[in-house]
């Protein structure tokens, strides 16, 4: 299945958001996720299934003003 | 002065962006004795651990964090970013930025009020980055904000307090609301001026981060904020249009 992760196309094996984070090697990294513009809390990543063309955003802590 | 029930250890809030290195950032936060540091969320490429290293550095500094929604131009973007920040940084504080104009990075006050209402109803403690607009301030308070953060000048411009009249009016109209000058401050004297006007804190980033010696500049800002705060509580004299001799006239020798 092909999806977009932070706007980059990716072919993935997994069906869930939690599986995607594992597949991409985020492990226990502190990140926040959104799918198709909507926030997905960590507690819902396991049950959230990704569809073809899904737009996933994975954000991490960063410097800010 | 309490910010959503919390007393800050200092009235200097410091941004964490644009420093030459993580070490200099850490030195600057310590030199500033910052009461709050602002942070953000950005995409992290797969395999990069830059964000995790940054978070570790911030956590070790032991300063409360205020995540921002920098770069958001719509209510939806800002609200979604705030939710993501709350989970990552484990705080319900949010510096709400909804930008309306790209050249000046002027806040979109209409979208700001709407986003502030949605987030306040959802339990966020909103620190809105706003213009010095009095009516906008009233609407933000009605939307649930208990802190207001008017700009001094456009972000990163270093121009200081562009509209002293407007900032003074805001202070006078809302004597009990914590007010923070956020953005535009370029020099410690600007920060002292904000505190002398009765503002409760200032938020600085570029002026420290882009100085030739950021940690030294952070020290200068710390002292300026403290000086301005003390001056304010010392009840400054009124300005006069004409000179009034300070040295006693009585007893002056006649030497002409």
């Amino acid at each position: 299945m092909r999806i977009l992760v932070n706007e980059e196309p990716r072919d993935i094996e997994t069906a869930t958001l939690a599986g995607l984070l594992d597949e991409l090697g985020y492990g226990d990294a502190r990140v926040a996720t959104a799918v198709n513009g909507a926030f997905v809390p960590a507690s819902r990543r396991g049950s959230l299934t990704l569809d073809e063309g899904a737009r996933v955003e994975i954000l991490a802590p960063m410097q800010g003003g | 002065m309490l910010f959503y029930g919390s007393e800050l250890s200092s009235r200097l809030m410091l941004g964490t962006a644009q420093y030459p290195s993580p070490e200099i950032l850490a030195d600057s936060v310590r030199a500033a004795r910052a009461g709050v540091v602002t942070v953000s969320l950005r995409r992290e490429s797969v395999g990069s651990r830059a964000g995790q290293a940054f978070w570790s550095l911030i956590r070790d500094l032991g300063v409360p964090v205020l995540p921002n929604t920098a770069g958001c131009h719509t209510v939806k973007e800002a609200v979604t970013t705030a939710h993501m920040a709350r989970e990552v940084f484990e705080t319900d504080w949010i510096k709400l930025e909804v930008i309306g104009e790209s050249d000046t990075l002027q806040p979109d006050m209409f979208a700001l009020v709407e986003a502030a209402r949605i987030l306040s109803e959802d339990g966020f403690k909103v620190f809105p980055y706003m213009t010095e607009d009095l009516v906008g301030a009233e609407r933000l308070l009605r939307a649930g904000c208990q802190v207001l953060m008017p700009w001094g000048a456009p972000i990163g411009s270093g121009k200081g307090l562009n509209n002293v009249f407007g900032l003074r009016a805001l202070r006078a109209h809302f004597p009990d609301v914590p007010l923070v000058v956020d953005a535009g401050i370029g020099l410690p004297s600007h920060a002292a001026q904000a505190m002398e006007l009765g503002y409760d804190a200032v938020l600085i980033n570029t002026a420290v981060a882009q100085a030739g010696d950021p940690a030294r500049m952070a020290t200068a800002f710390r002292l300026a904020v403290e000086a301005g705060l003390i001056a304010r509580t010392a009840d400054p004299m009124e300005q006069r249009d004409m000179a009034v001799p300070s040295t006693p006239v009585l007893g002056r020798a006649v030497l002409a």
Side-chain angles (χ1 to χ4, degrees):
Chain A
M1 178 169 62
R2 175 157 283 207
I3 63 167
L4 288 172
V5 178
N6 293 347
E7 280 190 329
E8 287 182 15
R10 283 190 174 269
D11 292 310
I12 59 165
E13 305 291 323
T14 182
T16 67
L17 182 56
L20 173 68
L21 290 174
D22 280 344
E23 195 174 311
L24 295 178
Y26 280 96
D28 59 355
R30 184 175 281 262
V31 292
T33 48
V35 175
N36 298 330
F39 169 57
V40 181
S43 58
R44 279 184 38 219
R45 288 177 194 156
S47 58
L48 190 132
T49 54
L50 297 168
D51 296 325
E52 178 78 25
R55 292 178 292 112
V56 179
E57 290 283 346
I58 303 173
L59 304 185
M62 202 58 64
Q63 295 84 350
Chain B
M1 179 55 73
L2 297 176
F3 294 80
Y4 287 103
S6 295
E7 188 79 55
L8 303 183
S9 63
S10 98
R11 305 302 187 91
L12 179 50
M13 302 181 174
L14 195 64
T16 57
Q18 299 183 308
Y19 290 81
S21 71
E23 293 73 25
I24 292 174
L25 162 61
D27 288 346
S28 300
V29 172
R30 282 189 284 261
R33 296 184 200 159
V36 164
V37 291
T38 55
V39 294
S40 190
L41 281 177
R42 285 291 180 267
R43 289 169 174 169
E44 184 163 76
S45 55
V46 176
S48 165
R49 285 300 182 115
Q52 311 308 310
F54 170 70
W55 175 238
S56 170
L57 181 151
I58 292 298
R59 215 177 25 198
D60 290 348
L61 287 169
V63 180
V65 297
L66 175 61
N68 69 27
T69 62
C72 292
H73 284 73
T74 66
V75 172
K76 181 173 182 292
E77 282 177 311
V79 168
T80 302
T81 302
H83 279 278
M84 296 174 91
R86 179 161 70 176
E87 183 177 85
V88 164
F89 294 111
E90 296 175 2
T91 176
D92 49 14
W93 283 17
I94 190 77
K95 174 183 160 179
L96 183 60
E97 290 186 40
V98 190
I99 300 301
E101 205 280 317
S102 296
D103 288 332
T104 58
L105 298 179
Q106 178 168 332
D108 178 338
M109 291 296 286
F110 306 95
L112 185 67
V113 170
E114 177 63 6
R117 185 187 59 74
I118 293 168
L119 290 171
S120 296
E121 285 174 359
D122 205 9
F124 283 88
K125 297 180 169 66
V126 177
F127 293 65
Y129 165 61
M130 55 179 285
T131 64
E132 70 279 20
D133 186 276
L134 267 186
V135 179
E138 177 64 46
R139 297 286 195 280
L140 285 165
L141 295 174
R142 225 184 287 166
C145 297
Q146 295 176 27
V147 174
L148 299 174
M149 301 213 296
W151 64 350
I155 295 172
S157 69
K159 287 184 173 299
L161 310 185
N162 262 354
N163 182 2
V164 171
F165 169 81
L167 291 172
R168 190 179 281 131
L170 207 56
R171 177 72 287 175
H173 274 73
F174 305 107
D176 302 321
V177 176
L179 297 179
V180 183
V181 170
D182 176 12
I185 286 179
L187 287 168
S189 54
H190 301 152
Q193 186 187 13
M195 299 305 289
E196 287 163 4
L197 286 174
Y199 276 69
D200 298 293
V202 293
L203 202 167
I204 318 282
N205 192 157
T206 311
V208 169
Q210 297 286 289
D213 185 339
R216 192 164 173 80
M217 188 59 84
T219 300
F221 269 104
R222 171 172 62 79
L223 295 171
V225 167
E226 194 179 338
L229 181 62
I230 293 172
R232 176 69 183 178
T233 57
D235 189 14
M237 66 168 280
E238 292 296 324
Q239 282 190 28
R240 286 186 271 231
D241 289 333
M242 303 300 285
V244 178
S246 49
T247 303
V249 177
L250 194 69
R252 188 171 61 90
V254 179
L255 302 172

